[in-house]
């Protein structure tokens, strides 16, 4: 291993006959050297002139490669001091070895709450059951006319429905790139990977980029806790408390204080999964200040972030603060988007935005799993975005969701005063009902089930016992919501 | 462990308050007992009357449960002799433990040919390259008008595009059930699982039903050899030679002669993957006699079968013999279908037909992977099938494919006489060109690439060196096919 300042050995030449651009080969070569540990953090690169000679290329080719590596945060150039290896974020987490599915999906020890999640997943497809916690839009809110318009135009758009390349439909990635730009996220289409929903994005990250034993920090409670995707791959979920401004990031520091002195590796093998905007299940909107502080904290500790922005477009009164990703100029954040919450989970389309090298790697593995997401879904979405129909639909949807929220709040005022506390959500689907009475929510779940009413108890989202209920105003019909909330209040009173 | 004839212990009662029908709970209970090894093959079940008492249910409920288990081949009833545990096929292969993704996708040792497959996968998405081996329909053959008609009707069909249950869209499964019935396959919709393409079906089987070290027999050569799905999960692919009637199944017997005497487990941990109809890559159509013999052989040896019928509908002159699945009354065969070859791989829809218990298990795991396939794709396909449009389209497609095949054959007559041998394919896309000259096909691949022509050398499909080329007449345009074949003959002559 090389020490700081020591000269790095170059034992490789680009293949000028390859289809791959020479500068890209150099990027990959340096990335490999750093990933493998041959070139350690802190080591200094030779001069551009020297590198150009070694690789037998023009200096401009070297400059282009180094610029790309700097943009990933892998290298850092300081005038007069040369270029140094600096990164231990994604590109270094990311191994070039074949992915290790390890003990994937073989959850070592199933958590107590998992049977509840399984039961919810199963019962959601039964008829005649009222769903008070479902994180989906009601079929009433489905924009049938807009979809008709889109589907009619599609046959003029696609020449066929053949296989697509590993990153997904170029037209969709271009449309997303434009949308993201409006939000302040600068993402080239080559930095966007289309996934079969966000769950698949998490699956790809867990399998390709994290080692078993890695720590995934997340809000406590968190939707992530109800999924098996990280624990099944051998990762340890660690809950960090929240306040009304979002995750209390300083507790990450406290929890790792001991390990931080041991080796940088401990922070290299950790990451943060966060839903800053309309957090699931609490509905919390992370404040702008907290966002800045959190990003600074993670930058300082080189803690990579998965930012899940499934709900960001579902604000009800005013636009939320910009995503964390807008602050990220060094590829520290993998940003996840999806159409599942705003329009239709059945399309099975999500997207992941990150450094090109990460996106390419995940795309290659995706091809080994399912050869890509439905191209029909992708074309429909590309048309929706580029036609402007989607933005019009969102305006209408926000209005309808706000009516639903206000109706739910009025029902809570009527039936839950004294029984629970809640905040008024500024967007998305959920009201987090914190029960004031001491009853076991698992029993409440069972009692409600006998009434043909399905609720989502907070236990399935939390790292400790939780006495809250995730109430959703997006799914159930008005009358069901009314009867359901009244019934729940009755049952709770009886249980008290 | 119990010996034959020994009484089985019943230590369980069905939950009459459960949503699951009581008979089904009994099916699952007995299945678990057999899977776990508590009830061994050969053990005799107590009388129906006794079972009814133990389970505290009506005798008719017991009869229904036993009938279902008999239909899977797990139990066998003989008049006067009672009911015995007999199965070692799917239901026993299938573990109820969480799936073991083992070393999934971490191919232990990459075969020499894999870089060629990777290169083909990559180059297929480049413009200006002529693809002489691609197993897809040309965009020219895409039925744009039919798709327009289907997409226009869809908005009247679906109330929303929300999540679907684990097995996929009921409407699509019902339509498939009807189609399969016409082919002679009796499959209830509850025995059909919609997958995100056939690759995912193979992935689910490899992960949920096979142990690392299991043997997967297949034709030699086989398309399966070009995939990493089984080797990556630790399974051993073993090639069995073919003749013009199909796989020489008797060689399976020869290869396992030694192990068969050791323990039945060796055959329990093996299965056969076969493409009997228009085999990929050779185009071979398995004769009716061979099908019967193969099925008898596998039944006798209790060797489960994956029957891949991706190409069965693409016959050019006359209908092929019925699928193996039509002979299967004991759940020995998992039958795979797909829309990828006949219409559009971009829809990413395949289906798996098998015993209900197997289908349910695979469906549950599918939900943990991607929450199901695109519902838009599924609705489009359901409409296509039930409207009759698809069958009309197939008639036209067969006609066009036949013209393409005959054109390709005429080009081969002109340019490849003396250079290669080939059979006339009776369906599907491929002509298997067996070169008569001794040249390394990997070099031919490289030389053709310099001419911007992509070919699929036989090596990527075979278990030993192979001097053939998979030529496809389904993809390249007429003029490209003509120039490509002529160029390939030139190059071969020069290499000779």
């Amino acid at each position: 291993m090389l020490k700081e300042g020591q000269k790095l050995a170059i034992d490789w030449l680009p293949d000028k006959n390859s289809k791959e651009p020479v500068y890209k080969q150099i990027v990959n070569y340096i990335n490999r050297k750093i990933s493998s540990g041959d070139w350690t953090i802190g080591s200094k690169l030779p001069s551009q002139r020297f590198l150009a000679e070694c690789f037998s290329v023009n200096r401009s080719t070297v400059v282009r490669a180094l610029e790309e590596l700097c943009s990933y945060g892998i290298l850092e150039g300081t005038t007069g001091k040369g270029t140094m290896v600096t990164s231990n974020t994604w590109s270094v987490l990311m191994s070039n070895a074949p992915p290790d599915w390890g003990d994937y999906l073989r959850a070592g020890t199933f958590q107590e709450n998992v049977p509840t999640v399984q039961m919810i997943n199963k019962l959601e497809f039964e008829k005649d059951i009222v769903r008070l916690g479902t994180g989906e839009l009601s079929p009433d809110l489905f924009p049938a006319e807009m979809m008709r318009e889109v589907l009619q135009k599609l046959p003029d758009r696609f020449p066929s429905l053949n296989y697509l390349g590993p990153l997904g439909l170029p037209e969709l990635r271009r449309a997303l790139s434009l949308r993201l730009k409006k939000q302040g996220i600068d993402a080239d289409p080559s930095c966007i990977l289309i996934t079969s929903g966000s769950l698949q994005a998490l699956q790809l990250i867990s399998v390709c980029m994290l080692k078993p034993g890695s720590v995934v920090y997340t809000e406590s409670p968190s939707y992530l806790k109800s999924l098996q995707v990280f624990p099944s791959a051998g990762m340890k979920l660690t809950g960090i408390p929240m306040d009304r401004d979002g995750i209390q990031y300083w507790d990450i520091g406290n929890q790792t204080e001991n390990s931080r002195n041991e080796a940088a590796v401990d922070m290299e093998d950790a990451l943060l999964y966060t839903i800053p905007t309309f957090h699931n299940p609490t509905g919390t909107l992370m404040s702008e200040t907290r966002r800045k502080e959190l990003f600074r904290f993670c930058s300082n500790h080189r803690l990579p972030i998965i930012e899940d922005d499934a709900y960001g477009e579902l604000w009800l009164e005013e636009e939320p603060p910009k995503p964390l990703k807008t602050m990220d100029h060094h590829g520290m954040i993998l940003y996840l988007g999806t159409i599942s919450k705003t329009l239709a989970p059945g399309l099975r389309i999500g997207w992941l935005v990150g450094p090109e090298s990460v996106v390419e790697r995940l795309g290659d593995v995706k091809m080994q799993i399912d050869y890509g997401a439905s191209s029909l879904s992708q074309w429909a979405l590309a048309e929706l975005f580029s036609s402007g129909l989607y933005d019009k639909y969102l305006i209408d949807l926000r209005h309808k969701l706000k009516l639903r929220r206000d109706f739910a709040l009025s029902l809570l005022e009527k039936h839950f005063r004294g029984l629970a506390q809640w905040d008024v959500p500024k967007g998305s689907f959920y009201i987090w009902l914190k029960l004031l009475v001491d009853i076991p929510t698992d029993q409440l779940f069972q009692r409600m089930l006998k009434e043909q009413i399905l609720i989502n108890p907070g236990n399935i989202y939390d790292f400790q016992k939780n006495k809250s209920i995730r109430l959703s105003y997006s799914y159930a019909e008005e009358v069901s919501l009314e009867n359901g909330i009244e019934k729940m209040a009755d049952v709770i009173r009886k249980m008290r």
Side-chain angles (χ1 to χ4, degrees), chain A residues 35-256:
Chain A
S35 305
S36 65
D38 285 354
W39 294 10
T40 53
I41 292 170
S43 40
K44 193 175 157 188
L45 261 67
S47 70
Q48 294 172 357
R49 185 189 303 262
F50 180 80
L51 285 172
E53 268 172 38
C54 286
F55 296 144
S56 167
V57 297
N58 289 333
R59 201 170 143 190
S60 61
T61 309
V62 168
V63 169
R64 185 162 177 201
L66 296 185
E67 276 174 3
E68 183 159 328
L69 287 160
C70 285
S71 80
Y72 298 165
I74 296 175
L75 299 179
E76 214 169 280
T78 321
T79 324
K81 283 195 166 179
T83 310
M84 309 264 283
V85 177
T86 51
S87 169
N88 52 4
T89 56
W90 297 112
S91 312
V92 178
L93 276 183
M94 181 175 59
S95 146
N96 272 311
D100 180 1
W101 290 79
D103 291 315
Y104 197 72
L105 281 183
R106 171 167 46 181
T109 44
F110 273 99
Q111 315 295 320
E112 204 177 283
N113 57 37
V114 167
T116 310
V117 176
Q118 286 177 326
M119 198 175 283
I120 292 172
N121 288 343
K122 199 172 172 182
L123 292 172
E124 283 191 339
F125 296 104
E126 302 221 344
K127 280 179 183 159
D128 305 323
I129 201 148
V130 171
R131 295 154 60 175
L132 290 190
T134 294
E136 279 178 74
L137 289 174
S138 163
D140 295 348
L141 296 169
F142 185 71
E145 278 316 306
M146 179 181 79
M147 283 309 289
R148 185 184 304 274
E149 206 171 314
V150 166
L151 291 179
Q152 274 177 3
K153 280 185 195 158
L154 283 198
D156 299 327
R157 299 290 185 265
F158 49 70
S160 73
L161 290 170
N162 278 356
Y163 289 111
L164 299 171
L167 300 192
L169 186 71
E171 285 80 356
L172 176 57
R173 287 184 291 120
R174 279 199 292 270
L176 280 168
S177 175
L178 289 174
R179 286 191 76 75
L180 289 163
K181 197 159 196 119
K182 281 185 200 159
Q183 281 192 283
I185 296 173
D186 211 7
D188 197 73
S190 63
C191 298
I192 301 173
L193 170 68
I194 307 299
T195 58
S196 305
S198 283
L199 177 61
Q200 194 185 53
L202 295 178
Q203 199 203 24
L204 290 170
I205 293 169
S206 75
V207 164
C208 300
M209 308 185 67
L210 295 176
K211 300 187 194 97
S214 303
V215 175
V216 177
Y217 296 103
T218 189
E219 287 97 354
S220 174
S222 171
Y223 160 71
L224 195 63
K225 187 66 171 63
S226 71
L227 300 181
Q228 286 301 311
V229 59
F230 286 117
S232 296
M235 279 112 229
K236 192 173 167 288
L237 282 187
T238 301
I240 303 294
M242 304 176 74
D243 58 26
R244 284 190 175 176
D245 285 329
I247 191 166
Q248 295 180 348
Y249 61 87
W250 51 89
D251 276 351
I252 303 177
N254 289 339
Q255 298 211 12
T256 56

Side-chain angles (χ1 to χ4, degrees), chain A residues 414-425:
Chain A
K414 194 166 158 193
H415 300 292
F416 270 82
R417 270 284 146 233
L419 287 185
Q421 277 182 334
W422 58 92
D423 288 328
V424 174

Side-chain angles (χ1 to χ4, degrees), chain A residues 228-356:
Chain A
Q228 286 301 311
V229 59
F230 286 117
S232 296
M235 279 112 229
K236 192 173 167 288
L237 282 187
T238 301
I240 303 294
M242 304 176 74
D243 58 26
R244 284 190 175 176
D245 285 329
I247 191 166
Q248 295 180 348
Y249 61 87
W250 51 89
D251 276 351
I252 303 177
N254 289 339
Q255 298 211 12
T256 56
E257 195 60 60
N258 298 329
S259 56
R260 225 189 314 161
N261 298 329
E262 288 171 23
V265 180
D266 282 305
M267 284 302 261
E268 272 178 38
D269 283 348
L271 66 82
L272 171 69
Y273 169 91
T274 180
I275 310 179
T277 307
F278 312 130
H279 173 258
N280 180 0
T282 65
T284 306
L285 176 62
M286 193 185 289
S287 66
E288 189 150 5
T289 309
R290 183 66 55 85
R291 284 171 199 241
K292 284 180 184 158
E293 291 168 4
L294 173 63
F295 183 74
R296 198 179 313 126
F297 176 87
C298 291
S299 297
N300 288 343
H301 291 83
R302 298 191 173 282
L303 183 69
I305 300 173
I306 301 174
E307 178 180 24
D308 190 340
D309 197 16
Y311 300 98
E313 293 180 314
L314 296 174
W315 47 271
L316 300 180
E317 275 126 356
E318 54 175 354
E319 277 196 56
K322 295 281 179 201
L324 297 169
K325 182 70 181 164
T326 56
M327 296 182 250
D328 177 31
H329 303 294
H330 294 95
M332 250 197 48
I333 298 180
L334 296 187
Y335 173 89
L336 306 186
T338 174
I339 200 68
S340 296
K341 299 301 172 183
T342 51
L343 176 64
L347 289 172
R348 306 306 312 119
I349 300 293
W351 47 92
L352 179 150
V353 182
E356 200 172 322

